[in-house]
Amino acid sequence: MGLQDIQDRIDKACADAGRDAASVKLIAVSKVQPNERVRAVLEQGQRCFGENRVQEAQGKWPDFRESFDGIDLHLIGPLQSNKVRPAFGLFQSIHSVDRPKLATAIARIAQEEGHCPDLFIQVNTGEEDQKAGVLPAQADDFIAECRAMDLPVRGLMCIPPVDEEPSLHFALLAKIAERNGLSGLSMGMSSDFERAVALGATHIRVGSAIFGDRVPT
């Protein structure tokens, strides 16, 4: 596929759902991708990208920002509390707020820095032991806790179990967001983003379908 193919599929999914295509942001997941592939996608006009690790992003994006304006960088992988400060200098959004300790660290750094990236709370909709995220039954309380710290919670994020129908998890995430007055829904990847769009996704995360298979280093 490629960037235009994915955008065409997003546009069709939005039309089928009666939604404005501008309401869905495509995050091109550039983690573990060679710089030449990332540059090629930048040259096609894409500006919104997702990275999994602060350290990898530190080695990649400052240089790209010298050559390309308007880069919108999203952290979609786990964030350690001791990496919060460098994350503030790199990312416009963090999609993996998943525990009180991390929220507290973000709130402290936000007070010191005078700004904060947009935040998405990760919900472990499948209640999988190996996966990060607050459990669905605890999501309301955690959202309230983050808001009490004046954190800019914009929405929720989930990664459905690989062996279950993702639409069930997207619907659950949308329900939690709606009852908490949150408009952002970070859900849907290469194999299922059309279903996510149909259920209200505002941010979808697509990697290999744009860049090709990942190249681990």
Side-chain angles (χ1 to χ4, degrees), residues 4 20-21 24 26 32 41 45 47 53 59 64 69 84 88 90 112 119 126 135 156 163 186 188 196:
Q4 189 58 54
D20 182 352
V24 178
L26 170 61
V32 202
V41 174
R47 290 295 180 268
R53 296 172 62 243
F64 281 138
D69 293 332
V84 169
F88 268 51
L90 283 166
E112 294 175 5
L119 303 177
L135 296 176
L156 306 177
D163 56 351
S186 174

Side-chain angles (χ1 to χ4, degrees), residues 184-195:
L185 288 170
S186 174
M187 59 189 197
M189 296 185 283
S190 295
S191 62
D192 56 26
F193 69 79
E194 281 103 341
R195 282 171 282 181

Side-chain angles (χ1 to χ4, degrees), residues 20-33:
D20 182 352
S23 67
V24 178
K25 179 172 284 191
L26 170 61
I27 301 174
V29 179
S30 48
K31 65 178 183 180
V32 202
Q33 291 289 351

Side-chain angles (χ1 to χ4, degrees), residues 48-65:
C48 182
F49 291 83
E51 290 285 343
N52 254 37
R53 296 172 62 243
V54 173
Q55 188 171 352
E56 183 182 347
Q58 285 177 306
K60 181 187 298 182
W61 288 99
D63 287 346
F64 281 138
R65 282 195 161 117

Side-chain angles (χ1 to χ4, degrees), residues 24-198:
V24 178
K25 179 172 284 191
L26 170 61
I27 301 174
V29 179
S30 48
K31 65 178 183 180
V32 202
Q33 291 289 351
N35 282 359
E36 60 268 22
R37 289 188 183 178
V38 179
R39 179 176 291 276
V41 174
L42 278 160
E43 288 172 348
Q44 292 176 64
Q46 177 70 15
R47 290 295 180 268
C48 182
F49 291 83
E51 290 285 343
N52 254 37
R53 296 172 62 243
V54 173
Q55 188 171 352
E56 183 182 347
Q58 285 177 306
K60 181 187 298 182
W61 288 99
D63 287 346
F64 281 138
R65 282 195 161 117
E66 290 186 4
S67 302
F68 298 93
D69 293 332
I71 290 173
D72 179 23
L73 198 59
H74 296 241
L75 179 65
I76 58 174
L79 177 59
Q80 297 173 316
S81 297
N82 63 355
K83 297 287 189 182
V84 169
R85 195 180 299 278
F88 268 51
L90 283 166
F91 297 99
Q92 283 64 61
S93 299
I94 295 170
H95 290 237
S96 49
V97 182
D98 61 355
R99 59 197 186 280
K101 180 183 177 183
L102 176 59
T104 300
I106 291 173
R108 177 175 58 81
I109 301 298
Q111 288 293 323
E112 294 175 5
E113 297 283 341
H115 71 96
C116 186
D118 288 343
L119 303 177
F120 290 73
I121 289 173
Q122 184 171 352
V123 181
N124 185 354
T125 55
E127 302 187 28
E128 299 173 275
D129 291 340
Q130 78 280 14
K131 195 169 284 182
V134 62
L135 296 176
Q138 299 166 355
D140 293 355
D141 287 344
F142 186 52
I143 292 166
E145 188 177 346
C146 290
R147 283 172 162 165
M149 290 187 271
D150 289 328
L151 292 176
V153 179
R154 306 301 184 206
L156 306 177
M157 184 269 263
C158 76
I159 305 172
V162 295
D163 56 351
E164 295 185 17
E165 169 52 51
S167 294
L168 300 174
H169 297 270
F170 299 154
L172 173 59
L173 196 73
K175 184 177 180 180
I176 297 170
E178 182 178 19
R179 70 172 179 247
N180 285 281
L182 292 170
S183 59
L185 288 170
S186 174
M187 59 189 197
M189 296 185 283
S190 295
S191 62
D192 56 26
F193 69 79
E194 281 103 341
R195 282 171 282 181
V197 168

